[in-house]
Amino acid sequence: MLNIGCHLSIADGFEAIIKQALSIGANTFQFFTRNPRGFKAKDIDKQDIKNYLKIAKENNFTTVLAHAPYTLNPCSADEAIRVLAKNIFIDDLRRMEFIPGNMYNFHPGSHVGQGVKTGIQFITNLLNEILKPEQTTTVLLETMAGKGSEIGSKFEELKTIIDEINLKDKIGVCFDTCHVYDAGYDIVNDLDGVLEQFDKQIGLKNLKAVHLNDSMNPFASHKDRHQKIGQGSIGIKTFEQIINNKYLSNLPFYLETPNEIEGYAKEISILKNLFTS
């Protein structure tokens, strides 16, 4: 079975979002924990969560993925921004325990001129401080496109972070197809080679989720503009290979393409028809 969903809004609550996901043929979804361009989060509605968990169990829903706000930068040169990132992280992981056993994805951040080594040290310090043995949420580092001073566009940067984490069972990677392609990993012509490189540097055992996004940009452009599946420079054939790849096919896939709900339903249908594994 193809485990696939898309990015949906939790503005109306978790019960509403899972019903919306089911209505378009999804068996998972991604959501922002709070305002993606800000920091405000809705209060937890325990009855809403209870209703959601019941529906999820009845429909064999697979792992869902929370996404940290884009404004979170754990390796900023500004200490106040790093402290804010830490507080958001702590609160989000606390909130995630209301839907236990799921995943929380974040952009590693931008070092803003301090250098990759310093940025990575800030990230690992933060993770080692906030990750707890008792948490059920797996925290995912997202592969990045490499624009500006972003950390995470190179597999070795993610490897360095993971190597320094104490609780390695609480950490993993989310593989974004648009980002890795824009970063210079040729998944169109050499998907197996890219995955082999990932395995050697990070380990496929650490790959926990995939963002399925086509790219508006040419290969190795180091930009980050998602396109609808099959309408960008990556192309539909590559996505067929990705969802049927022996190392990837059992992972949850999350669409972040520029779509409304009808567009997501169409993409999910297309990908299900291409799935043969």
Side-chain angles (χ1 to χ4, degrees):
M1 181 175 66
L2 181 64
N3 295 316
I4 189 166
C6 59
H7 191 95
L8 297 171
S9 170
I10 58 166
D12 296 323
F14 279 93
E15 182 179 3
I17 194 177
I18 193 170
K19 288 180 177 178
Q20 186 177 45
L22 288 167
S23 75
I24 59 173
N27 63 347
T28 184
F29 59 84
Q30 176 180 272
F31 66 97
F32 279 118
T33 55
R34 57 191 65 224
N35 185 329
R37 301 290 179 185
F39 306 107
K40 188 176 181 180
K42 286 185 63 176
D43 292 336
I44 295 290
D45 181 335
K46 292 184 179 180
Q47 184 59 51
D48 175 54
I49 294 291
K50 183 178 179 180
N51 295 342
Y52 160 78
L53 292 172
K54 180 176 183 292
I55 296 171
K57 183 177 181 180
E58 290 172 348
N59 290 275
N60 296 314
F61 229 64
T62 192
T63 309
V64 299
L65 181 63
H67 199 304
Y70 294 133
T71 44
L72 185 147
N73 186 7
C75 59
S76 172
D78 186 329
E79 183 179 3
I81 294 176
R82 297 198 305 273
V83 170
L84 180 60
K86 173 186 171 182
N87 291 336
I88 289 173
F89 231 118
I90 291 171
D91 187 49
D92 277 352
L93 291 181
R94 176 190 65 82
R95 295 161 65 88
M96 286 298 292
E97 291 304 308
F98 285 93
I99 49 170
N102 291 289
M103 301 183 294
Y104 178 84
N105 178 71
F106 78 106
H107 294 179
S110 298
H111 63 73
V112 290
Q114 302 172 98
V116 172
K117 184 177 180 180
T118 298
I120 285 176
Q121 191 61 61
F122 279 134
I123 295 166
T124 56
N125 287 348
L126 171 65
L127 291 172
N128 280 327
E129 186 173 354
I130 65 173
L131 296 179
K132 305 299 181 186
E134 63 271 19
Q135 75 182 55
T136 66
T137 301
T138 302
V139 174
L140 306 187
L141 300 154
E142 184 171 340
T143 57
M144 302 306 295
K147 67 180 187 293
S149 62
E150 281 182 341
I151 290 174
S153 64
K154 297 177 180 178
F155 293 163
E156 54 262 41
E157 293 174 359
L158 299 177
K159 169 184 167 51
T160 301
I161 295 171
I162 293 171
D163 284 349
E164 294 299 318
I165 300 301
N166 296 329
L167 298 175
K168 288 183 171 55
D169 61 323
K170 306 300 181 184
I171 198 81
V173 174
C174 178
F175 187 101
D176 187 298
T177 56
C178 171
H179 294 177
V180 296
Y181 186 70
D182 284 12
Y185 293 97
D186 193 358
I187 58 173
V188 173
N189 297 301
D190 190 19
L191 176 61
D192 288 341
V194 172
L195 293 177
E196 182 180 352
Q197 189 174 353
F198 185 99
D199 191 33
K200 286 181 178 179
Q201 294 183 306
I202 300 175
L204 285 167
K205 66 180 181 180
N206 293 310
L207 183 52
K208 306 297 184 181
V210 178
H211 280 163
L212 284 180
N213 300 305
D214 214 324
S215 176
M216 291 186 180
N217 304 301
F219 176 64
S221 60
H222 298 289
K223 296 180 181 179
D224 178 6
R225 293 192 66 193
H226 299 181
Q227 180 56 288
K228 296 176 183 178
I229 297 298
Q231 297 185 26
S233 56
I234 296 176
I236 193 68
K237 289 184 179 179
T238 300
F239 288 103
E240 182 177 9
Q241 293 173 356
I242 288 170
I243 62 174
N244 288 294
N245 183 277
K246 64 181 179 179
Y247 298 115
L248 307 178
S249 61
N250 290 324
L251 294 174
F253 296 98
Y254 305 92
L255 294 158
E256 295 182 316
T257 49
N259 268 313
E260 300 297 333
I261 194 68
E262 295 83 3
Y264 282 135
K266 182 179 179 181
E267 287 184 337
I268 288 171
S269 178
I270 289 170
L271 291 165
K272 281 185 172 181
N273 287 331
L274 293 174
F275 186 68
T276 60
S277 295

